[in-house]
Amino acid sequence: MARAFTPKMLTANDLFDGDVIYMTASGEWSRHLSDVAIFEEEAAANAALSEANQQHDRLIGPYLVDARYSADGTPEATHFREEFRSRGPSNYPHGKQTEA
Amino acid sequence: MYVYDEFDEKFVRERVRQFRGQVEKRIDGSLTEDEFKPLRLMNGLYLQLHAYMLRVAIPYGTLDSRQMRQLALIADKWDKGYGHFTTRQNIQYNWPKLKDVPDILDALADVSMHAIQTSGNCIRNVTADHFAGAAADEIEDPRPTAELLRQWSTDHPEFQFLPRKFKIAISGAPNDRAVTKAHDIGVRMVSNDAGEPGYEIIVGGGLGRTPMVGKVIREFLPKAELLPYLEAILQVYNLRGRRDNKYKARIKILVHEAGLEEIKSAVEVAYERIKPEFQRPSDELVARIAQFFEPPQFNNVQTTAFEQEIDKNPALRSFVETNVAEHRNPAYGIVTISLKPVGGTPGDATSEQMRVVADLAEQYGHDELRISHEQNIVLPHVRKADIPAIYQALKEVGLATANIGLISDIIACPGMDYCALATARSIPIAQEISTRFSELKLEHEIGEMKIKISGCINACGHHHVGHIGILGLDKAGVENYQITLGGDATETMALGERAGPGFAADELIPALERLINAYLEIREGSEETFLQSYRRLGSNPFVAALYPEAERNAA
């Protein structure tokens, strides 16, 4: 039996510096998890992924991954790996956590 | 130090030129990622979690002050002012921009360095004993052989698309500091009954998801036969190694599935076939390589002043006792510079630290530096008389931690702080262990202790061969850490045994504390190391310390 669809976000890495990027509701790419669009429908999520797969000239490795809205309505990752991706490494103040 | 000849120089420059064109085509969109990925990997460029990562080869872990300064310059100019030294004696930059990478590679070529074959299914950077040419116990410096292997394996047309990556390590001493038994091929310098120098060849070792201790495939190989014999092993592997399953593609699986005897005879058949036509390196080439590894002109001076300095300064004494190893020349010492400060990231050095170390090598160390697989920097040849001055200079830049071989001298892979393959973080665990045991002031009391941490089953952090190994996993969406006990990375190699269920991150440090306290109680005197206690007593008392609940429940 196919697993039930759970809400997803679309993320990738930027071609030029490898930074983590997120697809927003308007189909743009943002560097911040807070801007990400969460797909409640599987078909819409897959369509966005196919579209991203064509964007060779600006991003690498797009994929869909579980996400949800937190209590205050901002998007958040459900898995710790995505949480780390949204921040940066824990041993130095490098990456997104310093650029906010 | 090996000096590039015209061929090496042209080859490296040409590769940079090619890669520059490939990067341009990727940026302007004429190459897709699928097309570009194999090209970037051939040049050491990975994509990690937050950014690209460039892995630069430090052949057999040897470099000079000029090269170290260039690594510092690259860190400042194109990265975030630091570099990460790895268990394969390489350096990794964690934040390069794609467009800058060709410039970085050109800067490396300026000092005879490159990032070729630091990735991909080819023969990777050959690693060696980091005390090579200096150690008191050495039979022969393994680096001329390592350089010969580098030349043979670089761009070898037959071995660019092996079933999987292939790692070779070489040691010239009976005490194995190069982990030769956990490599696809391990080469150990030995002599036969007639006293002639040669090699013992070990095959099929490796860590990762299926850890195996390497097996001796040739007890004695005459020196001149090394390249044709290794070529024979690689041919057999290239033809018979599995390509249907990435996880079963390393030579260790082939040796395990076919059996050592069968592989041995297949190699002998290939070797006999290759032998007559194989173009052995000319005597001139061998001599040319050897001259670059001639020992430096040692300058013996009285060490009386040194002994007096040590008596006056307990911190210096502690540094000397822990971080200085025996040199073949009694007036000299081998200084290991710890890249494991309390609470720091194992293997990281700032550009300033790299420059200080380069200056020290130039001023006091015959201009030689080594990177160890244990992620430290080595000054292989320093006069004992100069050690107080070296210690002082290291102290000023936070590099005088006296902990080599102790509990905080931890190997840790980058883990999920950087690596896209990781299943959990490694670095924060290493930081917590070193911070905690420093607070307890137990480090010297505990004595020799190798903790090795990997953030996934690929085992870049060598956890299987740690006295205490820690493996970070994703257990139902939470970081979880499994402990193995009794591993050994040396000539008496053993794979650690899994102690039991894993620990959540916040349970791990208390569990290790219980484990260490149990060891301190049950050891036979302070001379018995953790590993010796483990071998004497077996796992039971240690497992009981890790899992007191289970113990109570069973009672």
Side-chain angles (χ1 to χ4, degrees):
Chain A
M1 204 177 82
R3 284 175 62 179
F5 180 77
T6 49
K8 298 274 190 295
M9 62 179 172
L10 179 57
T11 180
N13 290 81
D14 179 81
L15 168 64
F16 305 100
D17 60 12
D19 195 8
V20 175
I21 52 176
Y22 300 97
M23 177 157 277
T24 68
S26 59
E28 299 295 306
W29 292 96
S30 164
R31 306 247 162 179
H32 306 289
L33 175 61
S34 55
D35 296 333
V36 81
I38 295 181
F39 298 98
E40 308 283 348
E41 301 288 328
E42 188 168 11
N46 288 337
L49 178 61
S50 310
E51 164 85 24
N53 272 322
Q54 302 307 312
Q55 299 181 34
H56 300 301
D57 55 346
R58 58 175 309 177
L59 56 87
I60 314 170
Y63 62 92
L64 292 164
V65 66
D66 282 351
R68 64 185 168 215
Y69 291 104
S70 68
D72 65 6
T74 53
E76 64 179 21
T78 60
H79 192 275
F80 61 86
R81 184 179 194 268
E82 290 304 321
E83 214 181 291
F84 300 156
R85 281 180 85 239
S86 75
R87 273 204 312 263
S90 53
N91 60 332
Y92 298 119
H94 291 160
K96 293 185 187 301
Q97 56 202 338
T98 54
E99 292 152 12
Chain B
M1 280 293 304
Y2 178 73
V3 176
Y4 275 9
D5 64 12
E6 208 180 311
F7 173 84
D8 297 316
E9 168 75 20
K10 253 172 80 178
F11 171 73
V12 170
R13 291 288 179 190
E14 176 59 18
R15 278 290 289 267
V16 178
R17 197 191 61 75
Q18 288 170 3
F19 190 57
R20 188 176 292 281
Q22 291 156 358
V23 168
E24 278 165 16
K25 288 196 178 78
R26 179 70 186 103
I27 286 176
D28 74 19
S30 43
L31 282 177
T32 66
E33 185 59 20
D34 285 348
E35 291 162 336
F36 180 64
K37 189 176 174 184
L39 302 171
R40 69 169 159 81
L41 289 177
M42 283 171 78
N43 292 284
L45 186 63
Y46 287 72
L47 178 68
Q48 301 218 87
L49 280 188
H50 315 289
Y52 288 100
M53 178 271 280
L54 182 67
R55 180 182 292 158
V56 176
I58 299 171
Y60 32 91
T62 292
L63 71 172
D64 62 17
S65 61
R66 189 176 71 118
Q67 291 172 320
M68 186 63 106
R69 286 194 192 101
Q70 193 77 340
L71 295 179
L73 178 137
I74 289 168
D76 282 337
K77 193 167 174 186
W78 292 292
D79 208 90
K80 292 189 189 290
Y82 77 103
H84 175 74
F85 291 100
T86 77
T87 55
R88 299 219 69 255
Q89 303 179 311
N90 295 314
I91 182 171
Q92 296 182 172
Y93 293 104
N94 284 322
W95 304 93
K97 306 253 189 290
L98 179 58
K99 71 171 171 47
D100 293 334
V101 175
D103 291 341
I104 300 175
L105 296 179
D106 256 330
L108 289 169
D110 289 344
V111 294
S112 302
M113 293 182 82
H114 61 73
I116 297 165
Q117 291 183 206
T118 60
S119 174
N121 295 335
C122 54
I123 301 172
R124 302 285 188 91
N125 184 31
V126 175
T127 53
D129 182 352
H130 43 269
F131 289 171
D137 64 351
E138 189 170 86
I139 300 166
E140 200 179 313
D141 188 339
R143 291 172 305 155
T145 303
E147 172 56 28
L148 199 60
L149 290 174
R150 187 192 69 81
Q151 298 196 11
W152 163 74
S153 62
T154 300
D155 217 27
H156 191 304
E158 198 176 326
F159 305 139
Q160 293 300 300
F161 296 95
L162 295 167
R164 197 76 179 88
K165 59 186 164 185
F166 204 92
K167 300 176 184 175
I168 302 175
I170 175 159
S171 158
N175 293 299
D176 184 0
R177 288 173 289 264
V179 207
T180 57
K181 287 186 174 169
H183 281 75
D184 295 284
I185 290 180
V187 179
R188 294 182 60 215
M189 308 193 86
V190 291
S191 47
N192 65 5
D193 295 343
E196 295 155 341
Y199 305 104
E200 177 186 80
I201 309 295
I202 297 160
V203 72
L207 302 175
R209 74 177 59 212
T210 318
M212 303 257 185
V213 177
K215 300 162 185 75
V216 176
I217 187 167
R218 221 356 155 105
E219 276 168 16
F220 183 83
L221 186 71
K223 276 187 91 170
E225 294 306 297
L226 183 67
L227 295 187
Y229 189 78
L230 292 201
E231 180 118 346
I233 296 179
L234 264 296
Q235 276 194 3
V236 169
Y237 168 59
N238 204 14
L239 283 171
R240 296 187 49 176
R242 287 179 61 171
R243 291 173 189 266
D244 62 320
N245 182 342
K246 178 179 167 179
Y247 303 119
K248 297 188 182 228
R250 296 287 287 270
I251 194 172
K252 62 188 173 188
I253 304 292
L254 175 65
V255 173
H256 181 70
E257 286 182 351
L260 179 66
E261 286 313 310
E262 189 184 324
I263 295 305
K264 197 172 175 173
S265 33
V267 167
E268 290 298 330
V269 169
Y271 174 50
E272 289 304 320
R273 195 185 63 241
I274 290 168
K275 238 164 59 172
E277 285 166 26
F278 189 84
Q279 278 202 331
R280 285 171 178 71
S282 66
D283 292 347
E284 290 74 33
L285 174 64
V286 172
R288 178 176 184 276
I289 291 174
Q291 71 174 358
F292 295 118
F293 299 97
E294 287 291 322
Q297 291 291 320
F298 292 125
N299 176 3
N300 300 347
V301 283
Q302 286 296 329
T303 53
T304 332
F306 168 68
E307 310 290 350
Q308 286 165 355
E309 284 278 334
I310 289 184
D311 285 338
K312 281 189 297 194
N313 185 345
L316 173 63
R317 170 176 292 280
S318 167
F319 177 81
V320 169
E321 281 172 359
T322 314
N323 293 37
V324 179
E326 202 185 338
H327 195 279
R328 54 199 253 198
N329 181 322
Y332 274 68
I334 304 170
V335 174
T336 301
I337 301 167
S338 170
L339 296 182
K340 324 287 174 64
V342 173
T345 302
D348 278 11
T350 66
S351 55
E352 187 203 6
Q353 291 174 328
M354 291 184 218
R355 286 192 191 94
V356 167
V357 165
D359 291 347
L360 291 173
E362 198 172 29
Q363 193 178 348
Y364 300 111
H366 297 278
D367 207 24
E368 274 206 44
L369 288 162
R370 306 288 168 71
I371 306 304
S372 77
H373 82 269
E374 290 174 314
Q375 302 179 280
N376 294 311
I377 301 177
V378 176
L379 289 165
H381 312 291
V382 296
R383 293 187 307 188
K384 284 181 179 163
D386 292 326
I387 290 177
I390 291 170
Y391 172 74
Q392 201 49 44
L394 290 173
K395 213 171 134 184
E396 281 163 24
V397 287
L399 286 177
T401 316
N403 65 347
I404 298 304
L406 302 181
I407 195 167
S408 60
D409 184 12
I410 298 168
I411 288 184
C413 72
M416 205 186 270
D417 284 305
Y418 297 91
C419 179
L421 302 174
T423 44
R425 289 175 296 180
S426 310
I427 292 168
I429 301 300
Q431 291 174 309
E432 283 170 37
I433 293 171
S434 77
T435 303
R436 182 59 186 150
F437 283 93
S438 158
E439 284 165 4
L440 294 172
K441 306 220 175 302
L442 273 178
E443 184 153 57
H444 289 267
E445 172 73 19
I446 297 163
E448 189 189 325
M449 168 60 75
K450 309 272 188 190
I451 295 189
K452 302 180 198 279
I453 310 173
S454 304
C456 80
I457 56 172
N458 293 314
C460 295
H462 294 192
H463 64 278
H464 299 110
V465 291
H467 299 171
I468 299 174
I470 299 172
L471 166 63
L473 295 168
D474 171 357
K475 192 177 170 194
V478 182
E479 288 170 291
N480 189 272
Y481 296 89
Q482 264 181 15
I483 292 180
T484 50
L485 297 171
D488 175 3
T490 70
E491 65 283 358
T492 48
M493 181 168 286
L495 300 172
E497 293 162 2
R498 201 181 134 192
F503 294 89
D506 59 349
E507 296 171 341
L508 181 63
I509 307 299
L512 291 173
E513 246 182 274
R514 292 195 299 275
L515 178 67
I516 295 298
N517 285 332
Y519 154 65
L520 292 174
E521 277 189 18
I522 59 184
R523 70 180 175 183
E524 277 186 338
S526 59
E527 292 300 301
E528 188 178 70
T529 65
F530 178 87
L531 188 61
Q532 286 165 343
S533 294
Y534 184 85
R535 285 184 171 163
R536 178 171 60 85
L537 295 163
S539 63
N540 286 347
F542 300 96
V543 171
L546 284 172
Y547 304 98
E549 286 298 321
E551 192 73 354
R552 269 199 294 278
N553 294 343

